[in-house]
Amino acid sequence: MKQKYQQLTKWLTSNYNKISPGKNAITGAAKGLLVCSGILWVLHAIIVSINIKDNWILLLFLSFTLMVILASYLSLWGINKINSIPKVYKVALGISIPLFFMMSYDWHITLFLVLMTSLFGAGILVLKKTGFTNLSRPKQIISLAGLVLGATGLITAIVLYIPSGFEIDPIENAASINEATITPISAASPAEKGNYKVKTLHYGSGKDRHRKEFGNAVDIKTDSVNGVAFIDDWNGFGGWWREKYWGFNSSALPINGSVWYPEGEGPFPLVLIVHGNHPMQDFSDPGYAYLGNLLASRGIILASVDENFINGSWSDIFGGLEEENDARGWLLLEHLRVWHNWNKTSGNIFNNKVDTSKIALIGHSRGGEAVAHAVMFNKLSHYPDDASIKFDYNFNIQSIIAIAPVDGQYKPGDSRTKIEDVDYFVFHGAQDADVRSFRGTQQYERVSFNDSLYHFKTGLYIAGANHGQFNTSWGRSDVGNPFTGLLNLKQLLSAEDQRKIAEVYISSFLEITLRNKKEYLPMFIDSRRAKNWLPETIYLNQFEDSNASFLCTFEEDFDVVTTTEDSGTILTKNLSVWREEEIQLKWEKKGSRAAVLGWHYEEEDADTIVNKKVDSLIASYSIHLKPRTISIDSSAALVFSMAESTEDANPKTKGKWIITKDNKEEKEESKKKKDKEKDDAKKSIDFSIVLKDSLGQSVSFSLSEFSALQREIDPVIWKMEFLTSENTAENVFQLFYFPLDRFKSYNAEFNIETITKIEFVFDKTDEGVVIIDNIGFMKSL
């Protein structure tokens, strides 16, 4: 056998040599390539020069040619240097680099570890094998230096890894400045346990191989459902392993769930909660037991839905499920079908115990996207990606909650899910290392209200909250990396505090939407109204209801002086930044436009302008309306959403903004000092708001009467970000809410019903840039 192999190798080599190009052929090919490309390039340069009538372009072409030649030689030099690396070290690099990267997810850490371990290993082996005394003096110095540097680097890495994290520059909590003036909600805490005794049970296929609660110990058996139409790529090695592990494929998906329910007659509202993506063998659905116990004690049934079988697996590296979030949403509706059948079935434990007119869905991560798909599918007659599949759900889903959701993992008809006439609540943590952008605000923008009932949508951004601690099974590490020391956990809220926030907000939202307890509504505009119930941190609230009427949404056109209402006009004075644009998140666009406004007063003028109120120099943005453009009465509130932008407030450094040579150094030094003072304090932005009626009467008040504007929250999620200074902040809005009835005490002559001007006067902070959206009115809560 060996002899035949050698003969075959010899024959292949001999025949290859007969047809392989010789030296002359290779040289000729190279010359032909260079001459042809050179001639065409020169002709290209000459024609371009003639067409644009500028001979200087030839110099540009020549420069580019020289750079290409230099780059070619440098590349060859680099390749030769790599080829000169000893084989054993090239093999070590080829193995260690991908392994280090897969463990750290960071090239900086990977290169650092490669360098430090190489230096340390080289120093150790040289001293051990060669011996220090056998080395020349230069090599002794180099070996010791390499050993010390490598050891120091590795020790430093260990020292940096051990602490939970490091301190960051403090940021002022803008809402806390006048927190003492905020009246808390007088109702009982929604996170208090209720009076119902809590009972639990499990329903499922009865065939589960790994969990007895869905296997032979199941309380209620359920039939499987065929999900082939909704799940792609349950095939290949990944599909084989998935089926081998679970014992079923996508044509027989189980309906499994764990239930916490109140003991009593009922009927009780029903809530389903579904987890997101996580290793499928590390079951996620038990992680919401804390919510189950709370809600059931307060008279609400909670079922935690098991969808672990469509979660990720190690086998997916060879191809796995893709865009399966439609299946997650569809499965929720199949669970609701089962619950409706139980409610109508005599002898079932839940017969007549479920109030099927009061249903809510909660989803976390991918589940947070899936609940929106479920609501959309619920009102459709056909599956949008395959109309041969009919839907007939039409359940009374009143509200949905999305916890740190993704968006666009599944796109119906290659678009994004839109939902209407369902109350929507999304919340997200600033310290989220998994879904690092507030993606739920994209779905928030695609929620609309068109019927005659009262609806609202609301968002909450929580400083210090991560992705996993809302689920007790997921914990502190959001990335599935066992080396949690790579994460900066110093700014992370405790698990208890994070879940307390979830309890307070989820319970209150369900009390409002399922039981009409609207006394809890104000906390969705202003978290300070729930300050007696919530842990201390920074909260940003977004809110919009079906009563809102907006003068400016900035969606209507590209004319910056027009309003959404046709009769309005926008005028400005002394702004250094003024434009309208799409709102940018860390990942993708928000799906909404807003106005970006900036002002900047030179340091020598700032005190005069701000303190002495020199009107001719103060920047302002004003909306001018015809009387009774929209219906306004004393029960209304002025509202708008705003976020800080950290862009330059004085971007124009040429033209009339140019700094003269005489005072350039002085101004630069002054600016550095001023910037340092600002960075040290990070004081919140404040300004005045002026309203004027049709008779010229006006009222003026400060933004900070509700709250100063929160400075951008810039979390440090990975420890490496302390070195790279990566900006992880994004534009998160806060709703500002000013009930108009209070203005009567400011000016008794002011007529609320004939407001003709709303003006933002930037007279309290010497520079800043803000993003403002949805300026208008809504009924006071």
Side-chain angles (χ1 to χ4, degrees), residues 12 348 354 395 404:
L12 289 172
N348 189 284
V354 182
F395 302 125

Side-chain angles (χ1 to χ4, degrees), residues 240-373:
W240 171 82
W241 169 251
R242 194 176 292 272
E243 185 173 343
K244 179 177 177 60
Y245 182 84
W246 293 108
F248 56 82
N249 59 24
S250 58
S251 66
L253 303 178
I255 300 295
N256 298 339
S258 301
V259 186
W260 293 262
Y261 64 100
E263 185 177 61
E265 291 298 317
F268 302 108
L270 172 66
V271 178
L272 303 186
I273 187 168
V274 63
H275 57 82
N277 195 38
H278 196 69
M280 68 180 190
Q281 295 96 330
D282 185 12
F283 312 124
S284 298
D285 56 295
Y288 307 107
Y290 72 102
L291 290 173
N293 283 306
L294 171 65
L295 296 177
S297 76
R298 297 176 66 87
I300 296 174
I301 300 170
L302 180 79
S304 183
V305 171
D306 165 34
E307 294 185 359
N308 291 285
F309 44 85
I310 53 176
N311 271 1
S313 165
W314 63 267
S315 61
D316 291 344
I317 61 174
F318 303 107
L321 306 187
E322 293 181 1
E323 299 182 3
E324 80 295 333
N325 267 7
D326 52 337
R328 295 177 193 269
W330 166 76
L331 278 168
L332 289 174
L333 296 176
E334 289 298 315
H335 277 258
L336 287 180
R337 191 195 299 279
V338 169
W339 277 94
H340 280 68
N341 289 336
W342 289 344
N343 198 47
K344 295 183 292 186
T345 303
S346 177
N348 189 284
I349 191 172
F350 293 114
N351 178 223
N352 294 324
K353 292 289 183 69
V354 182
D355 186 345
T356 55
S357 69
K358 296 178 179 178
I359 296 173
L361 305 177
I362 306 174
H364 189 177
S365 195
R366 289 196 189 184
E369 179 187 317
V371 293
H373 301 322

Side-chain angles (χ1 to χ4, degrees), residues 11 41 71 85 123 138 162 199 221 247 320 441 521 684 701 730 738:
W11 180 84
W41 180 248
I85 296 174
I162 292 173
K199 305 190 76 175
K221 286 190 177 182
T441 58
L521 260 177
S684 304
F701 51 94
E730 67 182 343
F738 300 93

Side-chain angles (χ1 to χ4, degrees), residues 368-373 376 400 402 405-408 410 416-420 424 426 438-448 457 585 589-591:
E369 179 187 317
V371 293
H373 301 322
M376 184 183 71
I400 59 176
V406 298
D407 188 68
Y410 160 68
R416 298 289 177 102
T417 293
K418 297 179 180 178
I419 57 179
E420 59 181 24
Y424 182 74
V426 58
F438 195 176
R439 299 294 296 276
T441 58
Q442 295 175 299
Q443 180 63 70
Y444 177 95
E445 295 293 339
R446 303 193 303 274
V447 177
S448 61
K457 58 182 179 180
L585 301 176
K589 305 283 188 181
K590 187 170 183 276

Side-chain angles (χ1 to χ4, degrees), residues 722-741:
F722 283 107
L723 299 177
T724 61
S725 299
E726 179 184 353
N727 182 14
T728 55
E730 67 182 343
N731 300 319
V732 179
F733 285 77
Q734 165 68 46
L735 180 83
F736 287 85
Y737 171 87
F738 300 93
L740 297 181
D741 57 3

Side-chain angles (χ1 to χ4, degrees), residues 428 435-439 441 461 540 584-588 643-644 712-715 727-733:
H428 199 99
V435 184
R436 295 187 63 173
S437 183
F438 195 176
R439 299 294 296 276
T441 58
Y461 192 69
L540 295 177
Q584 179 68 54
L585 301 176
K586 273 184 285 191
W587 297 346
E588 301 183 342
E644 183 207 16
E712 205 173 57
I713 299 170
D714 187 8
N727 182 14
T728 55
E730 67 182 343
N731 300 319
V732 179
F733 285 77

Side-chain angles (χ1 to χ4, degrees), residues 135-156:
L135 295 172
S136 64
R137 180 57 59 86
K139 285 192 175 183
Q140 287 178 339
I141 295 172
I142 292 172
S143 298
L144 283 176
L147 179 61
V148 170
L149 183 58
T152 302
L154 293 175
I155 292 169
T156 301

